[in-house]
Amino acid sequence: MNIVLFGSTGLVGNEVRREIAALSPSHQVMLVVRKKLNDLMPHETQIVSDLASHDELKHKLMDFKPEAAFCCIGTTMKKAGSKEAFFLVDHTLIFNAAKASYLAGVKSFGLISSSGAHIQSSFYYLKVKGQMEKALISLGFSRLVILRPGVLLGQRTKSRPMEALSQSLVPLMTKIMIGPFKKYRPIKATTVASALVRHTITKGGKVQIIESQNII
């Protein structure tokens, strides 16, 4: 299978790379990156793109003939610095990645979203996530898998203080987050990556949205 991966340098993206490598050495993976990587595995190639244009990216992907794609792109409001900058990363760039994949022939697309994502959320972060999900559903992939994890646990290359604090409070958070709050519980990035790969490349329903408490 020829697979495209967006966001390969992030916490979940790195784990997705490992998951694919462990599945089968015959899978070929195209990493779409902003800057060239120096640690490619034998089955990986890369193309550089800022995702500013889905049409330009489509042409780069078509020769690869991708069958599946995973998108692990994401940022935080604090890191983005403004609502506009956050929307660019978590909506525009993700949509461009998805549309380019669709136009290049991708049938199955897997996406990392967030617990609580909803187009009518009063929280801007979750509202944008919900809008982004709706936009991707409208593209019409044969299979679209959306995972909505809670706080991600794992070692990041760049520090996120709030997530680091959350990781230290995991036992307490797991105990008190029950009922409707269960979906916000912290979850290991390795668990999320494994589920994303497994559900996306498995034949099934057209759109599958998996909440954090159901990610196994």
Side-chain angles (χ1 to χ4, degrees):
M1 179 178 287
N2 290 349
I3 299 169
V4 179
L5 174 57
F6 302 92
S8 60
T9 60
L11 180 59
V12 178
N14 263 316
E15 296 299 337
V16 168
R17 288 178 70 184
R18 296 188 182 98
E19 283 290 328
I20 296 172
L23 273 179
S24 171
S26 64
H27 290 320
Q28 297 299 306
V29 182
M30 175 71 75
L31 306 179
V32 180
V33 297
R34 289 181 298 174
K35 296 180 181 179
K36 283 190 175 181
L37 303 180
N38 297 317
D39 62 340
L40 295 182
M41 290 184 256
H43 65 285
E44 294 177 333
T45 54
Q46 63 182 323
I47 56 175
V48 177
S49 173
D50 60 6
L51 302 180
S53 168
H54 59 75
D55 189 58
E56 179 183 350
L57 179 58
K58 172 195 69 175
H59 293 294
K60 292 182 178 180
L61 296 180
M62 287 183 73
D63 290 338
F64 181 60
K65 298 180 180 180
E67 301 163 71
F70 303 105
C71 186
C72 305
I73 295 172
T75 187
T76 62
M77 288 292 295
K78 183 176 181 180
K79 185 177 180 181
S82 68
K83 287 185 176 181
E84 293 76 16
F86 175 75
F87 188 89
L88 172 65
V89 174
D90 274 61
H91 191 292
T92 304
L93 299 189
I94 292 176
F95 180 77
N96 285 347
K99 188 165 185 178
S101 299
Y102 177 78
L103 294 175
V106 166
K107 302 300 182 184
S108 300
F109 194 91
L111 170 74
I112 300 297
S113 183
S114 173
S115 285
H118 197 284
I119 58 173
Q120 294 182 340
S121 175
S122 57
F123 295 98
Y124 186 75
Y125 177 90
L126 298 177
K127 184 175 183 178
V128 171
K129 291 288 190 181
Q131 292 172 339
M132 176 265 294
E133 290 181 3
K134 183 178 180 180
L136 266 59
I137 291 172
S138 72
L139 288 174
F141 285 104
S142 296
R143 179 163 180 75
L144 175 63
V145 174
I146 299 174
L147 266 58
R148 293 175 173 172
V151 176
L152 295 168
L153 302 176
Q155 188 64 46
R156 292 186 182 274
T157 55
K158 294 183 179 179
S159 175
R160 287 188 180 180
M162 288 306 296
E163 287 190 2
L165 175 62
S166 295
Q167 294 196 41
S168 69
L169 298 175
V170 167
L172 176 61
M173 294 172 71
T174 300
K175 185 177 181 179
I176 65 175
M177 287 184 167
I178 59 177
F181 299 102
K182 189 176 181 180
K183 63 184 178 182
Y184 296 106
R185 285 180 177 177
I187 184 171
K188 291 181 180 179
T190 52
T191 301
V192 175
S194 177
L196 183 69
V197 172
R198 185 174 67 255
H199 286 284
T200 303
I201 65 176
T202 300
K203 293 181 180 179
K206 189 172 183 178
V207 178
Q208 185 177 14
I209 299 176
I210 306 175
E211 298 289 354
S212 190
Q213 67 270 26
N214 297 320
I215 297 175
I216 56 174

